[in-house]
Amino acid sequence: MDPTSENNVNGVGNGIHKSMKDTLDNGNGTMSHLSRMAAVDIEFNDVTYSVKTGPKEFKMLLKGVSGQFKSGELTVILGPSGAGKSTLLNVLAGYRCMDIGGSIRINGQLRDVQKFKKMSRYIMQDNMTQPNLTVFEAMSFAADFKLGKRKSRLQKRAAINEILSILRLTGTQNTVTDKLSGGEKKRLTIALELVNNPPVIFLDEPTCGLDNLSSTKCVDILKRLAHLGRTVVCSMHTPSASAFNKFDHVYILTNGQCVYRDTASNVVPFMRDVGLECPKHYSPADFIIEMASDEHDFDLIERMVACVNTNLPLVPILQSKSEIDFDKNNPKISWIYQFNTSVRRMMTQLYRNRNYMYVKLWVLIFLGIVNGSLFWNIGNDASRALFNFGFCFGCQIYFLYIPLQPVLLTFPSEVKLMAREHFNGWYNLSAYYWALTVVSIPLQIIFGFCYLTIIYLITGQPLELHRSSIFFGTCFVCAFISESIGQNIGSMFNPVNSMVIGSIISCPLILTAIQDFGVETTGPRPLFRTIFMYTSHLRYGLEGLTTAIYGYGRQRIPCPTEEFYCHFSSPKEIMQIIGMERSLDFWMDISALFIILFISKGITYYFLRQRVQPNKTFQMFQVIRNLFKNHFNI
């Protein structure tokens, strides 16, 4: 779209709405970033949408609804719970694109979903913002993602200050987002999407959780934005009487059908035409929604639907001669710039989350001292050589759970927020994925190195560079794999279910890692046992650690003076008793670990891709999961 200013529109110079100029906090500010937009009118006819509720059962959520949402107007979609408000928003915004009937037109032309997504922004009900960032930092990163290098740092700052001033967030620009109130966080989610000046804004329950005063102020802000030429559409339950009168256009749904579509002032006359009189002490919004609920006669809903089609007909919007081209003023940001911005934002969040870093550091120091004390100086004691194998296994357990558990708790929320930002066109998924991968590498290495240094020295392992390098490197790769497993689980489930599933998956990984160690096998293993054993990265990691300690021609281990005989002073004898004398090939083990790592990382990217753009196969699994979830109430 070409968002050039339209001079002298409605008698206002420079294309800027006078009421908007009068509401600037500084009293004399001018608006350059949020200039008046070219019109984007939305028209939909006989739109239907259904979801699968069983093997052969479907539920119709939208039953042939029609309407028009025009630029310069603030439209509200009202209705009781389950009426289809959020569903209609999802369909119009392109968040739901499968199994939709009817037609949706933009300025009289059939909607191109991909092009429309670029010019529209969808602000969902949950006030999710990036944690550990101040308001100004969050806006700055949003500006970098959306504006790239085509605007200087000063121009971006001016645009940010303008948006914060309009949304009354100037006083909170140095406040961390997690400490904002509900109203401030809601306004911030709106501000983040205004950075690249979109002509269409959808909002799902923007006043949810706010008091009447905050709700009214939120509606005022949305109306100001709409009167600059934007198409602003929001859904609500029952707004207050004062907020209801501020809407330019009201669209009411019940049971997936439209029962009203006109101005707020025409609700009472419309109800008279249906045969109902609104009591004087009733809010018109409350009255029409109550009458349209399922608790009343179904014949009344049918009469209201018929009255809408008869008394409130739709005049088709004429097709625009010029094609909307939002990319003209918002060219695509380069992949490397998106990647760099993602890395900078993640590093800033890590730096701000220093308490978590301190806690994790103290935990690994504590665990290193405790576990090291359990295996004190065992590495150079031939009389306890077999227990050193237990030390290697303990290291594998540590590098399974410590990288895994934090990811299971935090990654589901990160994925949910990533999906919303990606839908609103902040960045490519691949840029986010590689930034996430790159940022995690130094953290795992630093924390792993600290733990291994403590426990390696306390347990008296051989201080030879090639052995310690193999030992440390194997543990690092295992940590990356465990972290990736956590990301695979966290990208599909919520934190509670992720923790449960993570624990369930960990058990067979641990058990298969030590399968057949110290046992003489007289025949071939069953196929399923072999498959499980050689798909566990802990198995290869344990072999790699054992090779680092006892392989590569290590000399005999000294026996304590108080011991008369040490049977396991020979490393070859140790490897023979645990059944590894024929599998001492470190490069085979490390190759298998890297293969598992690459596969696991590939699965992570696939799951993230399906979260933002699911294919039919993935949608089938989602339906099965939802059926299972609803059946067992989990």
Side-chain angles (χ1 to χ4, degrees):
M1 172 172 186
D2 184 7
T4 55
S5 300
E6 300 174 3
N7 293 332
N8 299 321
V9 177
N10 297 330
V12 181
N14 297 327
I16 299 173
H17 199 278
K18 185 176 183 300
S19 62
M20 177 64 93
K21 293 179 69 176
D22 294 339
T23 57
L24 287 175
D25 293 345
N26 57 16
N28 57 1
T30 59
M31 298 181 58
S32 58
H33 183 69
L34 298 179
S35 58
R36 186 171 179 84
M37 308 296 298
V40 178
D41 297 328
I42 303 172
E43 180 180 4
F44 52 99
N45 294 285
D46 297 324
V47 171
T48 60
Y49 180 72
S50 60
V51 294
K52 193 171 184 178
T53 58
K56 297 183 179 180
E57 298 177 359
F58 293 86
K59 181 179 180 180
M60 188 71 72
L61 300 183
L62 296 178
K63 303 175 181 179
V65 295
S66 302
Q68 294 175 347
F69 300 153
K70 297 182 179 180
S71 63
E73 294 182 350
L74 174 60
T75 300
V76 62
I77 303 175
L78 300 177
S81 298
K85 303 184 298 295
S86 297
T87 302
L88 180 58
L89 275 182
N90 291 339
V91 169
L92 294 180
Y95 196 71
R96 296 285 183 267
C97 300
M98 304 293 293
D99 302 325
I100 298 174
S103 64
I104 301 175
R105 297 179 179 272
I106 308 299
N107 286 352
Q109 305 177 31
L110 283 176
R111 180 185 67 173
D112 184 319
V113 176
Q114 297 304 322
K115 289 184 178 180
F116 183 70
K117 285 182 180 180
K118 295 179 180 180
M119 70 178 68
S120 64
R121 295 296 177 264
Y122 189 11
I123 302 171
M124 300 184 186
Q125 182 175 348
D126 297 336
N127 300 329
M128 296 187 66
T129 56
Q130 291 289 345
N132 304 314
L133 296 176
T134 65
V135 171
F136 186 82
E137 287 173 341
M139 291 293 294
S140 298
F141 284 117
D144 289 338
F145 278 120
K146 294 171 178 287
L147 302 178
K149 295 182 178 181
R150 70 175 182 270
K151 287 195 175 183
S152 65
R153 183 61 58 183
L154 291 178
Q155 289 175 317
K156 292 178 183 178
R157 187 179 184 91
I160 292 171
N161 291 336
E162 180 181 313
I163 296 172
L164 293 180
S165 176
I166 294 171
L167 298 181
R168 298 185 296 110
L169 289 171
T170 303
T172 63
Q173 60 180 335
N174 294 322
T175 304
V176 178
T177 57
D178 294 337
K179 297 182 180 180
L180 295 174
S181 65
E184 291 170 341
K185 189 170 288 188
K186 175 61 69 176
R187 296 199 300 274
L188 175 59
T189 58
I190 299 173
L192 291 171
E193 301 301 339
L194 289 178
V195 170
N196 61 340
N197 208 9
V200 182
I201 302 175
F202 297 99
L203 304 101
D204 189 12
E205 301 288 350
T207 60
C208 180
L210 304 183
D211 56 70
N212 287 336
L213 180 60
S214 298
S215 298
T216 303
K217 291 182 178 179
C218 182
V219 173
D220 284 333
I221 291 171
L222 296 178
K223 188 168 185 177
R224 297 170 194 167
L225 295 174
H227 285 183
L228 280 175
R230 289 175 182 80
T231 304
V232 181
V233 184
C234 61
S235 66
M236 292 186 185
H237 280 292
T238 51
S240 62
S242 59
F244 179 72
N245 292 326
K246 296 179 183 295
F247 292 104
D248 302 305
H249 183 67
V250 178
Y251 193 91
I252 300 179
L253 286 170
T254 183
N255 196 26
Q257 303 176 89
C258 176
V259 295
Y260 183 77
R261 56 185 185 214
D262 204 357
T263 62
S265 60
N266 196 40
V267 170
V268 176
F270 173 83
M271 296 302 291
R272 288 198 191 104
D273 294 339
V274 180
L276 297 173
E277 186 68 34
C278 179
K280 294 183 178 179
H281 63 279
Y282 254 58
S283 166
D286 294 338
F287 180 70
I288 190 172
I289 292 175
E290 181 179 337
M291 292 299 103
S293 64
D294 293 335
E295 298 177 359
H296 291 269
D297 187 7
F298 185 76
D299 181 61
L300 175 60
I301 298 177
E302 293 297 325
R303 296 205 316 267
M304 295 175 70
V305 173
C307 188
V308 167
N309 296 330
T310 303
N311 298 346
L312 303 173
L314 296 176
V315 179
I317 297 175
L318 297 179
Q319 183 170 334
S320 176
K321 294 182 180 180
S322 60
E323 185 178 354
I324 300 170
D325 187 12
F326 186 65
D327 290 336
K328 182 177 180 180
N329 280 11
N330 292 272
K332 186 176 180 180
I333 310 302
S334 67
W335 187 94
I336 190 65
Y337 194 85
Q338 294 177 5
F339 170 79
N340 291 335
T341 304
S342 298
V343 170
R344 287 192 294 108
R345 185 172 70 173
M346 292 176 185
M347 293 302 295
T348 302
Q349 290 173 306
L350 288 173
Y351 175 77
R352 286 286 169 76
N353 198 14
R354 281 170 288 181
N355 289 336
Y356 168 75
M357 296 296 177
Y358 295 151
V359 169
K360 192 168 184 178
L361 183 61
W362 282 111
V363 166
L364 71 87
I365 292 175
F366 172 77
L367 291 177
I369 294 175
V370 171
N371 293 338
S373 300
L374 293 176
F375 298 97
W376 173 265
N377 203 27
I378 201 173
N380 284 316
D381 190 344
S383 64
R384 297 187 294 168
L386 284 181
F387 293 101
N388 206 25
F389 179 77
F391 160 75
C392 296
F393 184 63
C395 288
Q396 288 296 289
I397 300 298
Y398 176 90
F399 285 100
L400 171 65
Y401 281 105
I402 296 302
L404 176 68
Q405 297 296 325
V407 176
L408 296 176
L409 286 173
T410 61
F411 199 62
S413 299
E414 294 181 22
V415 171
K416 193 174 181 180
L417 186 53
M418 178 277 299
R420 296 187 180 185
E421 291 179 343
H422 179 272
F423 178 81
N424 285 325
W426 285 45
Y427 42 71
N428 293 333
L429 175 62
S430 59
Y432 168 84
Y433 170 79
W434 283 110
L436 180 69
T437 302
V438 169
V439 169
S440 66
I441 291 175
L443 290 178
Q444 292 295 349
I445 291 178
I446 291 173
F447 286 124
F449 184 83
C450 293
Y451 174 80
L452 288 173
T453 301
I454 295 172
I455 199 169
Y456 198 86
L457 294 177
I458 292 179
T459 56
Q461 303 302 327
L463 296 178
E464 301 175 31
L465 181 60
H466 73 283
R467 295 188 186 277
S468 58
S469 299
I470 292 174
F471 194 95
F472 281 43
T474 303
C475 290
F476 293 156
V477 178
C478 290
F480 296 144
I481 295 175
S482 299
E483 180 187 51
S484 184
I485 292 174
Q487 292 172 346
N488 294 337
I489 299 172
S491 61
M492 296 298 299
F493 301 96
N494 60 38
V496 175
N497 290 340
S498 294
M499 293 296 294
V500 174
I501 294 174
S503 300
I504 294 174
I505 292 178
S506 299
C507 292
L509 289 177
I510 294 172
L511 294 176
T512 55
I514 58 174
Q515 185 176 212
D516 293 342
F517 275 143
V519 178
E520 293 185 5
T521 57
T522 58
R525 302 186 191 93
L527 179 62
F528 74 93
R529 286 181 56 188
T530 304
I531 293 175
F532 278 115
M533 183 173 68
Y534 287 107
T535 54
S536 172
H537 70 282
L538 298 183
R539 175 78 178 197
Y540 298 104
L542 187 57
E543 290 183 1
L545 298 186
T546 308
T547 302
I549 298 299
Y550 295 115
Y552 295 107
R554 183 178 177 180
Q555 300 298 319
R556 298 182 67 88
I557 304 172
C559 186
T561 55
E562 62 271 14
E563 295 290 337
F564 178 74
Y565 170 71
C566 293
H567 181 71
F568 297 112
S569 61
S570 172
K572 292 183 178 180
E573 186 70 23
I574 299 173
M575 302 308 298
Q576 183 177 4
I577 199 64
I578 63 177
M580 288 185 58
E581 71 278 5
R582 295 182 181 179
S583 59
L584 285 177
D585 190 345
F586 169 74
W587 293 111
M588 182 190 71
D589 291 326
I590 201 67
S591 298
L593 286 175
F594 272 106
I595 291 173
I596 294 174
L597 176 61
F598 293 149
I599 293 175
S600 182
K601 287 294 183 181
I603 294 174
T604 301
Y605 183 80
Y606 173 78
F607 283 163
L608 293 178
R609 170 61 64 184
Q610 298 310 312
R611 286 298 298 267
V612 300
Q613 193 176 358
N615 55 31
K616 291 185 178 181
T617 302
F618 190 80
Q619 288 178 338
M620 180 185 68
F621 286 116
Q622 291 286 84
V623 170
I624 296 174
R625 190 191 71 171
N626 291 336
L627 292 175
F628 182 84
K629 181 178 179 180
N630 295 332
H631 181 74
F632 293 99
N633 295 320
I634 59 174

